[in-house]
């Protein structure tokens, strides 16, 4: 079993400390999670690890220091009673079911932007794919440089970095494809009804629950580096947001009616992102793109206005072209094509 490289910091990425968590702690978490809500004996854990029961207890003390609490009963063993509410690298790694070769995970207490940190790591030569998660961002941003409120309030701020080496013209539908996969994952995991507002907003009951920011470094004929960023409102509440944001944003917990298991959901999201990227890279995404788009598109048939520079284009959304551009039919019946990087969408009617 390989070790997972974990990076954590309470200061800044440049001051991050790097350590390797013992694989024994991963095994303990994996075994306890697999048995929930049943008990797991200390002797079984000791046999799994090939160590003494005293050594098992020592590893569990390290997990307690990281935010876990355990119940212990004579003749029964252990089970998890409390787990960290925020991002915890070992807990995510343990529950992640997709492990591309060389994948690594970075969890930070704070950074300026997970997209920026991922770009710095790529620039420093870090092997891709990898993910950067932060409990808080000081300069979180969305599309077109808009501020993304990023306090440590139970929401997810994550960026996943790739080196695709594909032609730039292939990437037109990438953000849409990834957004559709996220909607599908949330629908299955949380039993909610999400929608994707072209090109990058995840909606729940008409309010914004998440946003996507894809950034790339492009050479003359290929994309060198690609960073896929996601901000998702998981357990944040309206009273933790600025008033103007609270009116149009929503969290999964508000819709579901209770807090979600942050690290389990994060592991599921990362797995879906990694699989969706592979589907995009090998071209197999085209088999299901149209079906997912019809399932989660919230703009088809809606009357909207697209803002392009200083111009406003009203019309009815009729769909997408093969490159992911939005098709808008104006009042004269003419169809116009708009690329995501050029326009913003006013609230549909």
């Amino acid at each position: 079993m390989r070790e997972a490289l974990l990076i954590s910091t309470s200061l800044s990425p440049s001051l991050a400390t790097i350590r390797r968590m013992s694989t024994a702690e991963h095994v303990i978490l994996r075994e306890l999670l697999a048995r929930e809500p049943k008990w797991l004996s200390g002797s079984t854990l000791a046999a799994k690890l090939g160590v003494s029961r005293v050594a098992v207890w020592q590893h569990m003390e390290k997990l307690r220091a990281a935010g876990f609490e355990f119940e212990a009963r004579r003749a029964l063993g252990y089970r998890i009673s409390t787990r960290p509410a925020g991002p915890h690298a070992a807990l995510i790694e343990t529950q992640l079911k997709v492990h591309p070769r060389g994948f690594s995970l970075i969890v930070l207490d704070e950074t300026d932007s997970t997209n920026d940190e991922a770009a710095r790591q790529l620039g420093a030569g870090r092997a891709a794919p990898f993910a950067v998660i932060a409990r808080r961002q000081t300069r979180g941003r969305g599309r077109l440089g808009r501020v993304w409120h990023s306090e440590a309030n139970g929401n997810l701020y994550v960026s996943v970095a790739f080196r695709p080496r594909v032609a730039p013209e292939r990437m037109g539908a990438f953000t849409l494809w990834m957004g559709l996969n996220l909607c599908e994952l949330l629908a299955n995991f949380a039993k909610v009804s999400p929608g994707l507002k072209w090109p990058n907003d995840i909606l729940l009951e008409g309010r914004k629950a998440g946003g996507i920011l894809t950034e790339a470094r492009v050479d003359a004929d290929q994309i060198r580096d690609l960073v896929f960023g996601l901000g998702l409102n998981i357990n944040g509440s309206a009273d933790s947001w600025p008033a103007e944001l609270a009116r149009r944003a929503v969290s999964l917990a508000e819709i579901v009616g209770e807090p979600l298991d942050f690290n389990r959901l994060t592991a599921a999201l990362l797995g879906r992102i990694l699989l969706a990227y592979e589907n995009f890279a090998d071209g197999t995404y085209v088999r299901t793109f149209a079906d997912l788009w019809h399932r989660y598109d919230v703009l088809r048939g809606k009357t909207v206005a697209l803002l392009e520079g200083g111009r406003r284009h009203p019309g009815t959304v009729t769909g997408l072209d093969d490159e992911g551009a939005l098709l808008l039919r104006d009042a004269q019946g003419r169809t116009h094509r708009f690329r995501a990087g050029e326009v913003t969408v006013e609230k549909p009617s």
Side-chain angles (χ1 to χ4, degrees):
M1 184 181 300
R2 66 181 178 85
E3 291 183 330
L5 180 63
L6 309 181
I7 300 181
S8 61
T9 177
S10 58
L11 299 171
S12 67
S14 62
L15 300 177
T17 57
I18 302 177
R19 65 189 177 89
R20 288 190 178 272
M21 175 171 275
S22 162
T23 57
E25 290 154 43
H26 284 80
V27 172
I28 289 170
L29 288 176
R30 187 171 294 113
E31 293 298 317
L32 288 169
L33 290 168
R35 295 289 186 94
E36 284 186 324
K38 297 180 180 178
W39 300 84
L40 181 63
S41 72
S43 58
T44 298
L45 282 172
K48 280 275 185 183
L49 294 168
V51 299
S52 68
R53 293 186 64 178
V54 172
V56 169
W57 181 84
Q58 291 171 339
H59 285 298
M60 294 185 75
E61 283 298 295
K62 292 180 183 178
L63 289 169
R64 286 188 182 93
F68 289 89
E69 294 180 13
F70 302 97
E71 292 182 81
R73 288 191 186 177
R74 186 181 299 276
L76 289 176
Y78 303 96
R79 65 183 180 186
I80 299 173
S81 58
T82 303
R83 62 189 72 186
H88 187 281
L91 193 51
I92 295 168
E93 172 80 12
T94 299
Q95 298 179 97
L96 185 62
K97 297 181 180 179
V98 179
H99 291 271
R101 184 184 298 275
F103 176 76
S104 58
L105 176 63
I106 302 169
V107 174
L108 304 170
D109 284 341
E110 181 180 291
T111 190
D112 51 356
S113 156
T114 57
N115 266 32
D116 288 346
E117 176 59 19
R120 288 190 289 265
Q121 294 282 338
L122 284 167
R126 188 182 188 90
F130 62 86
V132 179
I133 297 173
R135 294 177 178 85
R136 179 177 182 268
Q137 296 181 116
T138 59
R139 298 180 63 185
R141 67 180 187 280
R143 185 168 162 265
L144 303 178
R146 298 188 180 101
V147 174
W148 187 270
H149 187 72
S150 308
E151 293 302 316
N153 55 5
N155 294 333
L156 174 64
Y157 319 115
V158 58
S159 298
V160 187
F162 305 97
R163 288 195 172 92
R165 307 294 182 182
V166 300
E169 56 267 24
R170 281 198 55 203
M171 298 303 296
F174 178 77
T175 296
L176 297 173
W177 168 247
M178 301 300 279
L180 293 171
N181 274 270
L182 295 175
C183 285
E184 181 86 340
L185 185 281
L186 293 174
N188 292 328
F189 185 100
K191 309 305 178 188
V192 294
S193 300
L196 186 66
K197 177 187 171 187
W198 182 93
N200 68 328
D201 288 344
I202 298 172
L203 305 184
L204 288 171
E205 297 185 358
R207 290 188 288 168
K208 189 168 180 177
I212 297 166
L213 178 62
T214 301
E215 298 178 308
R217 289 193 299 175
V218 183
D219 290 331
D221 58 351
Q222 66 178 0
I223 291 178
R224 185 197 321 164
D225 298 332
L226 178 69
V227 176
F228 174 78
L230 169 67
L232 182 66
N233 301 333
I234 296 180
N235 290 325
S237 59
D239 58 10
S240 69
W241 294 327
E244 69 277 6
L245 181 61
R247 288 191 293 269
R248 53 190 173 85
V250 69
S251 70
L252 283 163
E254 290 180 88
I255 300 298
V256 173
E258 61 182 4
L260 282 78
D261 185 328
F262 181 96
N263 288 287
R264 180 168 168 256
L265 175 54
T266 298
L269 286 164
L270 279 177
R272 187 72 183 228
I273 289 168
L274 293 167
L275 284 175
Y277 171 79
E278 291 299 326
N279 293 151
F280 191 87
D282 65 21
T284 56
Y285 79 99
V286 298
R287 300 173 186 170
T288 54
F289 182 93
D291 286 343
L292 287 176
W293 182 252
H294 286 296
R295 190 178 309 166
Y296 295 111
D297 170 30
V298 300
L299 291 184
R300 177 178 286 272
K302 299 287 186 181
T303 299
V304 303
L306 302 185
L307 306 179
E308 182 184 30
R311 299 181 62 189
R312 185 174 182 273
H313 303 273
T316 301
V317 176
T318 60
L320 298 176
D321 69 7
D322 291 340
E323 296 180 359
L326 194 71
L327 301 178
L328 189 75
R329 187 176 64 240
D330 65 21
Q332 289 72 44
R334 296 171 298 191
T335 296
H336 304 269
R337 176 179 179 271
F338 294 90
R339 296 181 60 183
E342 302 168 346
V343 298
T344 58
V345 184
E346 285 189 346
K347 186 175 181 180
S349 58

